[in-house]
Amino acid sequence: MNKPKMATEKGVPSNSRVLMLLGQLERMNGEAMGRDIDTARQVTAKILHLIQTQEKSGKEVMSKGSSGMEVILASLENSRDVQTTLNILYILSELLTVGRGRRVGVFVSKGGTGILFHILISASKELPPSEELMLQLHSLLAKVGPKDRKFGVKARLSGALNITVNLMKQNLQNTKLLLPCLQVLRVYSTNSVNAISLGKSGVVELMFKIVAPYSKKNTSLLKVALDALGALLKSKTNARRAVDGGHVPILLALYLDWHRNDTRHRHMLIRKGLLVCLRNITNIKLGRKSFIDADGMRILYNSSTECLPVRTLDPLINTSSLIMRKCFPKNRLPLPTIKSAFHYPLPHIPASGPVAQLYSLPPGVDDVVDESDDNEETDADSENETENEEDEKERLRAANEDIETDLNKLHPKKSPGRSFEELRVYERFFVELSEDFQGHNFECSRSASTTSSSSASSSASTQLPRPIIVPTAQAMSPKHVPISSSLGGCNSAKGKHSLPSPSALTPTAPALLAPLELDTIHLTKDQDKQEKANIPSPDTQTLSSLTRPPSQGQVIEQGLVNVLEGVSLEEEVFLSADDGGRKGVKQEGSPVNATRHIQSPLLLGGIPTLRVGGGGSNWGSECGSEGAEDEGAVLEVPDTALLLPLHDPDLYVEMVKGTLSVPRYAEVAYPDYFGHVAPTFREPLLERVYGVQRSKIFQDIERLIHPNDILDKVVYDLDIPSCPLVEDSGESLKFNSQFESGNLRKAIQVRKHEYDLVLNSDINSNHYHQWFYFEVSGMRVGTTYRFNIINCEKSNSQFNYGMQVLMYSVQEAISGRPRWVRTGSDICYYKNHFARSSIAAGGQKGKSYYTMTFSTSFSHKDDVCYFAYHFPYTYSTLKMHLSKLEALRTPQIYLRQDILCETLGGNSCPLLTITAMPESNSNDHICQFRNRPLIFLSARVHPGETNASWVMKGTLEFLMGTSPLAASLRDAYIFKIVPMLNPDGVINGNHRCSLSGEDLNRQWQSPNPELHPTIYHTKSLLQYLAHIQRAPLVYCDYHGHSRKKNVFMYGCSVKETVWQSNISATSSDLQEDLGYRALPKILSQIAPAFSMGSCSFVVERSKESTARVVVWREIGVQRSYTMESTLCGCDQGKYKGLQIGTRELEEMGAQFCVALLRLKRLTGIRNHQHLLDLESDIIGTQAKVVSSPTTYVMEEDEPSFLEAIDYSAESNDEDPEPDHEHSNEGHENPDHLDPLSDSDTNHRD
């Protein structure tokens, strides 16, 4: 016997039986196949027998280097005999059944698909065609189709589509042949052009003849038929065809039939297939209408509710939920306009941008809803808005495109931009650089140390006075009213402008006393009321406070603060808020229980307890005030001064008087008045309950199914300025947000204990809904209330990953626990059915809002509680803290407070200078003093990022502290600090913008002095320093981050930006000092909340107008950073698994100072070994940087969310693969899913 010519692989014996037979077959190829039919049949039959009986034979044929597949395909192509062809098809079927797809890949690469289609066409011409041949051809095509990317195109071009369709039409009762035809049809239909073509051939109608009611027979056929139908219905044309054919009610009836009869849940895939068909039909508007008309919502809601107890049916519940949410009619947000409820006229309108668009809208335009929301195309496509893989890839691509690739822009070029003559006016803010201290007595007390005449505390009392409500605890008897009116008369006699009485703005219950105007209280200080009122003026408090050594309670409290290197955040001498002469103050005992006794008639002047109007809270006897009608009634309130040395309620009220708001707030919120003492217990991240999001969504769907159960009663509405609180019979909660930093626009009672809440847009804007801060009263103890904030805009939130809202109870505060605590259960964040108009969505059509929902119950009767997005920190709080810090100054500390500028709203923007006084006025000491490097810090450019202010508070208190480290730090540097870059935004409850309606951290390239004064003047300070060759060593802007955990930094590096992009750069282009990594590296070693892994030093185009990039690029500050603090918590280090609190934030601010001290030591070292270490650090992370996907730009500059969320299952978006859709809800712990590399997330700035 001749040796076969076949190529064989080493290790495969050349005398192998199967290879010899293949060699024989190869020699027969061509005409011999036609001539010697019997031999061809025998050889192919033997090969088939060998492959069926010996596993090694198949391996020999398919082994690498073997040409077995080519021989088999050539024989198949040349065969003219049906039996030989069938034998070869059987051989292929056996070979391709094993091998995990590799063998199918080889088959496809050798052109096998085309040969099969060619035989199919030939066989179809035989009349009648061989049923067995058609069966085998379709079985093979079903196997190879999914692995051949061009399968659909090949099928269409070869004409195979019609052959398969005609075969199906002729064999509807022949299930054996129908099954492989359907399997092939399923693959054909994944090609959209094929799907449309098949639809035209009547396949959609044909499929509805095959799908049938419940039966135990032919279930596998039905499953494949539904998969094929589902694929066909992805085409909008076919979906319309199905709707026009009246098939939506049929699909619903079939689903209900299978749901009722499949009691053992053995045919879940068939039920799922029916749902997938419905899901694809409802991608079009017509389909959604047909679904609603066929009572689809009720059918799916009821069936899903019945499936809930069975965990394995989750895929059905999730798909049903998705369909129902999609078909839920888009609702109008219940507002007259999406623009802010408050209007502030701008001095001039910017030429372009969102504010210009806002002002260019013609009057009368309904900006809440517009036609675009009904645009069918966008409806279909917007469903996979956030979670689809393709979108994710697209976002990654766009993100990478955002990386700056212009090398000219990547090299910092000092370009002060303004002449020195213009900048010379800023010299007055740098007195310390020319101060000679010749007239200074270094022996005298601190009162002689340098101070600016325009300190924030003194400016507060010079601003326009106006009435501020700090309401009382119980209804007063009418006899006290004349006091109020007589004081009001004194006020008008001042001759200064005063706001209208708050009683005109807020409804007052008839039995309640009219609010007292606080700015009148000081007029009565010298009268006989003085002893009772006991309200010292701010100057007496700050200048004449007596120092007391800390009590044991304070020492314990301080010990709770996590101390770094033995440094406490507040080691300075504590100052009492009292002036020592106040009557009725308990001096003994635990500071927590210390209380002030204040006589009832004058409560208005001191302690706020009952709101008059506004929230209308009505307190009973449980709040510790018995005998409300008695003249001597006493209310005990905590003396927080013992625990909070920088807090003074009376001083706070004074500061509020000097704060100008657009709504002209006349009330003070209790938490800001009482203060916040960080709790001593840990607050772990909330573990997400399985199915919570789904259950909330189902409750939302119930609104549509049972509309009679919905109250839809407005209980609070800022759009009715004269009377925002809607009076009722006491069955509803009372809401209020009319105080500094408050944000709640509307509250609607939807069920007895459920409320929809709508947030206010930033002023002069129509979006940015995230920050909230509001008051609730009138609650019942033990009742669980559900609150839904229904107009959130971001596509995901840390509320899905363990973050809770914050609550402050006034009853708790009165009991000696004045604090914000994390609260809320069943918290989740998901897309809702309220449509966002394209005007609100920046031109994007078909968008929806998101709901943040939480449930909570209340522990105290007649309580007043506050809810906030994060720990509030108002502008008045800052002014109070600065005033108290001034009082802490020792003779060794150089502290100056200047007013940098006035904001658009008329508030002052403080600028602090902190350093150490020179040891003497000798030349050496003065020279050392003037030549200290500068550190420039700023915070709170985004009002909603209150955590930035708490970090800044920690920094300021550390800098003013008495510890040796603080003293060393003051000796080492001169600190220039702008603690609040956006006072107006903070005061008015904005989330991101100033009164100009613009994000101030996008204005640094060319700030407008009128519209962006704080940025304009802060940048000018830096430009002035650059001109005099004194650019800061470090610039850091403190921010908060809503989508990531931990604290981290963003910086600027040419090298790391080039590594992230594909631009070619020479080694000279990449030369840069690696010092930019030193500070974050130090922080990662000493600060438990800090994560080096989350830091990034990439420069993007979209950030070129941020402080970080402009200060780096234009001022030439290499160490220019944004420091981001989480709003949620930590997933690494000492605080792993815990939510962040003010103690950790303040600690972070203090540790930033310690890191600067270490940086001083590093930069002072002559050898630069540490820079080499940093170089190796960077090289070590380079692989990570390159391999990890980057997600730089997203809505509002935050990264795509990297933690897993069960959106595919529970929210609103399509699962990429119907068969594999399941809920991720049980696996939501994100700890292992958030390993952010050095630069794999976007910079929030």
Side-chain angles (χ1 to χ4, degrees):
M1 200 179 206
N2 290 332
K3 195 174 177 181
K5 299 173 191 172
M6 280 188 54
T8 58
E9 187 191 14
K10 283 184 182 175
V12 176
S14 58
N15 61 350
S16 159
R17 180 112 190 268
V18 74
L19 294 186
M20 283 167 27
L21 288 168
L22 281 171
Q24 191 178 346
L25 191 62
E26 185 180 27
R27 288 193 297 278
M28 286 179 67
N29 273 343
E31 291 180 16
M33 286 285 281
R35 284 198 312 271
D36 200 350
I37 290 171
D38 288 342
T39 311
R41 284 182 181 180
Q42 285 171 6
V43 172
T44 51
K46 285 176 183 176
I47 293 171
L48 174 63
H49 177 72
L50 280 171
I51 287 172
Q52 283 174 332
T53 55
Q54 296 178 14
E55 191 182 330
K56 67 171 188 179
S57 298
K59 288 180 178 174
E60 286 168 9
V61 175
M62 295 305 299
S63 62
K64 288 177 183 174
S66 165
S67 56
M69 182 59 81
E70 287 99 319
V71 173
I72 292 168
L73 288 176
S75 306
L76 182 61
E77 203 170 10
N78 293 324
S79 169
R80 298 289 175 268
D81 171 52
V82 173
Q83 188 56 53
T84 306
T85 303
L86 276 171
N87 284 346
I88 296 172
L89 291 175
Y90 294 142
I91 290 167
L92 285 169
S93 184
E94 289 288 339
L95 288 172
L96 301 184
T97 303
V98 290
R100 293 186 182 175
R102 188 190 73 81
R103 292 182 177 185
V104 176
V106 172
F107 175 87
V108 171
S109 67
K110 306 288 185 191
T113 315
I115 294 168
L116 290 180
F117 281 135
H118 175 68
I119 294 168
L120 182 65
I121 305 299
S122 305
S124 68
K125 291 173 183 169
E126 302 286 330
L127 289 175
S130 159
E131 185 180 310
E132 181 64 18
L133 185 59
M134 284 299 187
L135 179 76
Q136 290 305 320
L137 277 169
H138 280 90
S139 297
L140 262 178
L141 284 167
K143 274 195 182 97
V144 301
K147 295 287 179 184
D148 187 345
R149 288 182 183 176
K150 296 186 177 174
F151 186 81
V153 180
K154 290 173 184 173
R156 185 168 66 252
L157 296 178
S158 65
L161 297 184
N162 288 334
I163 293 167
T164 304
V165 171
N166 291 332
L167 197 63
M168 284 169 59
K169 285 177 179 174
Q170 292 155 16
N171 292 276
L172 282 176
Q173 304 309 315
N174 182 350
T175 53
K176 187 180 175 186
L177 180 56
L178 193 56
L179 180 62
C181 288
L182 284 168
Q183 287 170 332
V184 176
L185 186 76
R186 176 171 62 182
V187 190
Y188 287 164
S189 306
T190 54
N191 178 297
S192 56
V193 180
N194 285 356
I196 293 166
S197 173
L198 288 164
K200 286 176 183 170
S201 306
V203 177
V204 174
E205 289 75 12
L206 182 68
M207 299 308 290
F208 278 102
K209 289 179 185 172
I210 298 169
V211 294
Y214 176 78
S215 162
K216 291 182 181 177
K217 296 176 184 174
N218 300 327
T219 52
S220 53
L221 180 87
L222 190 55
K223 162 73 179 71
V224 177
L226 286 169
D227 285 352
L229 180 57
L232 283 164
L233 292 172
K234 279 189 175 178
S235 149
K236 290 173 192 166
T237 318
N238 288 341
R240 281 189 204 99
R241 197 171 268 117
V243 174
D244 294 341
H247 295 307
V248 173
I250 292 168
L251 281 169
L252 281 164
L254 285 171
Y255 179 72
L256 201 54
D257 182 55
W258 279 89
H259 169 74
R260 284 174 179 160
N261 290 298
D262 182 25
T263 50
R264 293 194 166 187
H265 313 306
R266 289 181 176 169
H267 304 296
M268 193 179 83
L269 292 177
I270 290 175
R271 292 156 70 181
K272 176 70 187 295
L274 286 161
L275 287 175
V276 168
C277 292
L278 283 166
R279 186 193 66 193
N280 291 346
I281 288 178
T282 52
N283 275 343
I284 63 168
K285 186 181 167 188
L286 208 60
R288 292 194 286 277
K289 185 179 182 303
S290 178
F291 177 84
I292 296 280
D293 293 346
D295 203 22
M297 294 294 276
R298 190 182 299 273
I299 290 168
L300 288 196
Y301 175 79
N302 291 337
S303 62
S304 301
T305 311
E306 289 164 21
C307 291
L308 280 172
V310 187
R311 187 82 172 255
T312 51
L313 298 182
D314 274 0
L316 301 183
I317 300 165
N318 296 332
T319 311
S320 298
S321 163
L322 192 150
I323 296 165
M324 287 188 284
R325 299 182 67 202
K326 200 190 317 184
C327 296
F328 203 118
K330 286 278 192 233
N331 286 6
R332 175 198 170 91
L333 205 60
L335 294 175
T337 171
I338 49 172
K339 287 186 286 203
S340 172
F342 307 131
H343 179 65
Y344 181 82
L346 294 174
H348 65 267
I349 311 301
S352 61
V355 181
Q357 288 168 12
L358 196 73
Y359 275 85
S360 64
L361 279 179
V365 167
D366 183 356
D367 59 356
V368 183
V369 169
D370 56 26
E371 275 73 47
S372 68
D373 291 320
D374 292 325
N375 182 304
E376 195 166 293
E377 298 305 308
T378 58
D379 274 346
D381 299 334
S382 67
E383 286 306 323
N384 16 27
E385 169 202 356
T386 314
E387 289 75 30
N388 260 8
E389 289 175 21
E390 290 305 313
D391 286 353
E392 205 54 48
K393 286 174 190 166
E394 182 64 24
R395 191 178 294 123
L396 293 182
R397 187 183 60 73
N400 286 326
E401 283 178 2
D402 186 46
I403 299 174
E404 184 58 76
T405 53
D406 183 344
L407 282 169
N408 292 322
K409 288 187 175 179
L410 280 176
H411 283 286
K413 302 244 184 328
K414 290 190 191 180
S415 53
R418 294 169 65 191
S419 71
F420 189 55
E421 289 311 310
E422 273 186 272
L423 293 168
R424 185 160 267 163
V425 294
Y426 294 94
E427 196 172 358
R428 66 192 179 91
F429 294 109
F430 297 96
V431 182
E432 66 281 0
L433 300 184
S434 55
E435 183 94 64
D436 62 8
F437 296 96
Q438 291 313 308
H440 183 79
N441 179 0
F442 284 87
E443 302 304 316
C444 79
S445 73
R446 73 163 156 202
S447 59
S449 60
T450 95
T451 177
S452 162
S453 57
S454 55
S455 75
S457 57
S458 59
S459 70
S461 49
T462 61
Q463 298 244 21
L464 300 179
R466 64 209 159 89
I468 304 290
I469 302 177
V470 182
T472 173
Q474 57 270 349
M476 295 294 166
S477 59
K479 64 187 168 187
H480 298 305
V481 175
I483 300 173
S484 168
S485 55
S486 67
L487 291 177
C490 298
N491 176 47
S492 58
K494 285 185 190 176
K496 290 188 180 177
H497 170 70
S498 143
L499 292 184
S501 163
S503 52
L505 301 173
T506 51
T508 50
L512 300 179
L513 172 67
L516 181 63
E517 299 182 353
L518 283 192
D519 57 322
T520 61
I521 289 172
H522 296 297
L523 296 176
T524 64
K525 275 207 295 272
D526 302 324
Q527 298 166 16
D528 58 345
K529 302 282 182 210
Q530 184 182 1
E531 278 199 341
K532 289 183 185 175
N534 279 320
I535 299 163
S537 66
D539 35 331
T540 1
Q541 280 186 293
T542 51
L543 300 177
S544 318
S545 298
L546 303 176
T547 53
R548 284 204 298 258
S551 68
Q552 185 186 357
Q554 290 160 348
V555 173
I556 292 166
E557 188 70 15
Q558 285 310 114
L560 294 166
V561 180
N562 289 301
V563 178
L564 179 72
E565 296 187 4
V567 184
S568 159
L569 293 184
E570 298 162 357
E571 287 188 356
E572 53 290 295
V573 179
F574 293 136
L575 292 171
S576 163
D578 307 307
D579 59 2
R582 174 168 297 183
K583 298 188 179 181
V585 179
K586 291 183 185 172
Q587 295 289 347
E588 71 284 351
S590 161
V592 180
N593 297 320
T595 55
R596 299 182 195 168
H597 292 267
I598 299 184
Q599 296 203 327
S600 276
L602 292 156
L603 275 169
L604 295 172
I607 304 302
T609 42
L610 167 67
R611 163 157 284 93
V612 181
S617 322
N618 196 5
W619 286 20
S621 59
E622 284 199 12
C623 59
S625 52
E626 294 177 13
E629 297 301 314
D630 299 344
E631 205 160 319
V634 171
L635 175 69
E636 292 194 356
V637 228
D639 186 357
T640 49
L642 291 171
L643 289 178
L644 294 170
L646 291 189
H647 190 88
D648 179 345
D650 303 324
L651 180 57
Y652 182 77
V653 172
E654 281 305 308
M655 295 308 174
V656 172
K657 288 185 209 172
T659 297
L660 304 176
S661 61
V662 172
R664 297 161 76 150
Y665 289 134
E667 300 176 29
V668 175
Y670 290 116
D672 304 321
Y673 179 86
F674 284 155
H676 158 75
V677 178
T680 53
F681 48 85
R682 293 184 157 202
E683 295 182 292
L685 291 164
L686 186 69
E687 199 168 314
R688 188 175 165 105
V689 180
Y690 180 83
V692 61
Q693 181 168 303
R694 186 171 60 205
S695 67
K696 297 296 178 190
I697 289 164
F698 274 45
Q699 285 173 31
D700 290 352
I701 291 165
E702 281 171 23
R703 298 187 190 189
L704 189 70
I705 295 167
H706 306 297
N708 295 337
D709 297 349
I710 301 305
L711 302 175
D712 213 20
K713 174 183 171 187
V714 176
V715 294
Y716 180 73
D717 191 354
L718 275 187
D719 290 298
I720 312 169
S722 58
C723 179
L725 182 82
V726 180
E727 287 298 327
D728 78 308
S729 56
E731 288 299 305
S732 309
L733 293 175
K734 297 179 179 68
F735 292 84
N736 181 43
S737 61
Q738 292 182 291
F739 44 79
E740 190 175 342
S741 293
N743 190 320
L744 175 67
R745 181 170 185 163
K746 193 169 190 173
I748 302 160
Q749 187 175 16
V750 286
R751 294 185 178 97
K752 189 175 181 184
H753 300 122
E754 182 178 353
Y755 294 83
D756 279 355
L757 309 178
V758 184
L759 303 182
N760 197 14
S761 302
D762 285 5
I763 292 173
N764 278 315
S765 155
N766 57 18
H767 57 139
Y768 298 120
H769 310 112
Q770 194 165 334
W771 168 256
F772 57 86
Y773 181 18
F774 58 88
E775 173 198 286
V776 175
S777 58
M779 66 283 288
R780 294 186 175 180
V781 175
T783 301
T784 300
Y785 292 91
R786 177 182 169 185
F787 298 100
N788 313 306
I789 296 172
I790 60 171
N791 62 333
C792 303
E793 292 166 324
K794 292 187 175 177
S795 57
N796 210 334
S797 164
Q798 282 284 338
F799 283 118
N800 275 333
Y801 301 94
M803 185 162 107
Q804 292 175 284
V805 298
L806 284 149
M807 186 176 88
Y808 192 106
S809 158
V810 176
Q811 290 279 22
E812 283 288 304
I814 286 170
S815 306
R817 293 177 293 277
R819 63 192 176 202
W820 286 99
V821 290
R822 300 277 185 175
T823 191
S825 57
D826 293 351
I827 298 178
C828 55
Y829 187 97
Y830 57 90
K831 183 183 277 191
N832 62 30
H833 50 270
F834 290 102
R836 273 180 86 186
S837 71
S838 59
I839 296 171
Q844 292 177 296
K845 296 177 180 178
K847 294 281 185 184
S848 292
Y849 285 104
Y850 290 78
T851 290
M852 193 288 281
T853 180
F854 66 97
S855 300
T856 193
S857 56
F858 301 95
S859 307
H860 301 288
K861 187 184 173 192
D862 300 324
D863 202 355
V864 176
C865 290
Y866 290 77
F867 291 99
Y869 179 64
H870 198 67
F871 302 93
Y873 190 103
T874 65
Y875 173 66
S876 297
T877 301
L878 172 72
K879 292 194 293 182
M880 174 187 69
H881 280 158
L882 294 184
S883 176
K884 301 289 279 182
L885 276 174
E886 184 119 354
L888 292 178
R889 187 178 56 221
T890 64
Q892 290 76 40
I893 300 176
Y894 181 102
L895 167 69
R896 199 176 69 251
Q897 282 192 44
D898 294 302
I899 301 302
L900 175 63
C901 62
E902 199 171 82
T903 65
L904 206 52
N907 294 290
S908 56
C909 176
L911 167 69
L912 303 182
T913 306
I914 302 174
T915 187
M917 289 290 285
E919 289 181 39
S920 73
N921 51 17
S922 70
N923 279 347
D924 285 354
H925 286 149
I926 298 296
C927 189
Q928 188 274 341
F929 174 84
R930 290 180 185 174
N931 288 309
R932 292 170 189 163
L934 281 104
I935 304 287
F936 205 113
L937 307 177
S938 59
R940 207 68 187 282
V941 72
H942 295 142
E945 295 165 15
T946 57
N947 46 358
S949 282
W950 289 99
V951 176
M952 180 56 83
K953 178 175 182 276
T955 294
L956 290 172
E957 288 181 32
F958 184 90
L959 284 174
M960 293 299 292
T962 54
S963 71
L965 282 181
S968 301
L969 193 60
R970 291 190 296 264
D971 277 332
Y973 299 114
I974 295 172
F975 285 85
K976 285 286 177 187
I977 302 173
V978 184
M980 195 172 279
L981 280 168
N982 190 354
D984 290 342
V986 171
I987 292 162
N988 293 291
N990 283 7
H991 172 64
R992 195 166 179 89
C993 300
S994 68
L995 290 187
S996 71
E998 295 164 296
D999 179 347
L1000 289 182
N1001 204 34
R1002 289 296 179 283
Q1003 311 305 325
W1004 277 78
Q1005 268 187 324
S1006 49
N1008 181 296
E1010 270 190 290
L1011 294 177
H1012 325 119
T1014 58
I1015 304 302
Y1016 179 84
H1017 293 292
T1018 305
K1019 183 178 180 182
S1020 297
L1021 293 178
L1022 289 157
Q1023 288 174 321
Y1024 172 78
L1025 287 172
H1027 256 301
I1028 62 167
Q1029 309 296 308
R1030 292 295 300 274
L1033 176 72
V1034 172
Y1035 171 77
C1036 190
D1037 193 17
Y1038 293 1
H1039 281 251
H1041 207 295
S1042 70
R1043 296 205 198 189
K1044 286 175 69 178
K1045 293 185 169 70
N1046 313 313
V1047 181
F1048 50 94
M1049 277 179 154
Y1050 293 135
C1052 302
S1053 159
V1054 179
K1055 226 176 222 182
E1056 300 197 35
T1057 305
V1058 169
W1059 278 341
Q1060 280 286 357
S1061 61
N1062 297 320
I1063 57 173
S1064 54
T1066 63
S1067 56
S1068 61
D1069 288 329
L1070 296 180
Q1071 291 225 326
E1072 72 178 335
D1073 183 352
L1074 295 169
Y1076 67 88
R1077 267 186 169 251
L1079 189 59
K1081 190 73 181 168
I1082 295 165
L1083 279 168
S1084 70
Q1085 293 164 355
I1086 65 173
F1090 195 87
S1091 164
M1092 189 71 189
S1094 299
C1095 295
S1096 176
F1097 304 93
V1098 175
V1099 181
E1100 311 92 338
R1101 295 188 184 101
S1102 62
K1103 306 299 160 51
E1104 63 181 12
S1105 290
T1106 59
R1108 165 177 63 100
V1109 177
V1110 170
V1111 173
W1112 172 71
R1113 188 178 283 161
E1114 294 184 24
I1115 312 298
V1117 178
Q1118 181 207 16
R1119 295 181 176 89
S1120 178
Y1121 306 103
T1122 300
M1123 186 161 77
E1124 301 274 3
S1125 301
T1126 179
L1127 290 156
C1128 175
C1130 296
D1131 60 10
Q1132 51 94 54
K1134 175 176 156 188
Y1135 301 133
K1136 182 176 181 176
L1138 299 179
Q1139 295 184 77
I1140 202 139
T1142 55
R1143 180 176 282 113
E1144 292 75 41
L1145 292 166
E1146 291 183 53
E1147 176 193 71
M1148 190 65 232
Q1151 282 160 337
F1152 182 81
C1153 294
V1154 176
L1156 287 172
L1157 201 53
R1158 288 209 181 166
L1159 182 72
K1160 172 72 175 173
R1161 292 172 192 155
L1162 274 179
T1163 49
I1165 298 170
R1166 292 285 175 199
N1167 88 28
H1168 292 290
Q1169 182 57 43
H1170 66 286
L1171 293 183
L1172 297 175
D1173 295 342
L1174 289 170
E1175 173 81 86
S1176 63
D1177 272 349
I1178 297 172
I1179 291 165
T1181 59
Q1182 187 182 353
K1184 242 198 295 184
V1185 169
V1186 174
S1187 63
S1188 62
T1190 53
T1191 49
Y1192 287 106
V1193 182
M1194 197 178 164
E1195 173 193 3
E1196 288 195 32
D1197 329 311
E1198 293 197 346
S1200 168
F1201 213 74
L1202 296 179
E1203 296 174 291
I1205 181 62
D1206 55 345
Y1207 263 24
S1208 61
E1210 288 201 331
S1211 193
N1212 57 318
D1213 298 299
E1214 302 207 7
D1215 52 320
E1217 189 62 51
D1219 284 327
H1220 305 294
E1221 178 183 279
H1222 29 241
S1223 165
N1224 295 334
E1225 213 175 25
H1227 314 284
E1228 280 178 35
N1229 187 350
D1231 287 345
H1232 63 292
L1233 293 165
D1234 202 14
L1236 305 178
S1237 73
D1238 271 12
S1239 55
D1240 75 8
T1241 38
N1242 159 52
H1243 315 330
R1244 174 102 164 33
D1245 285 345

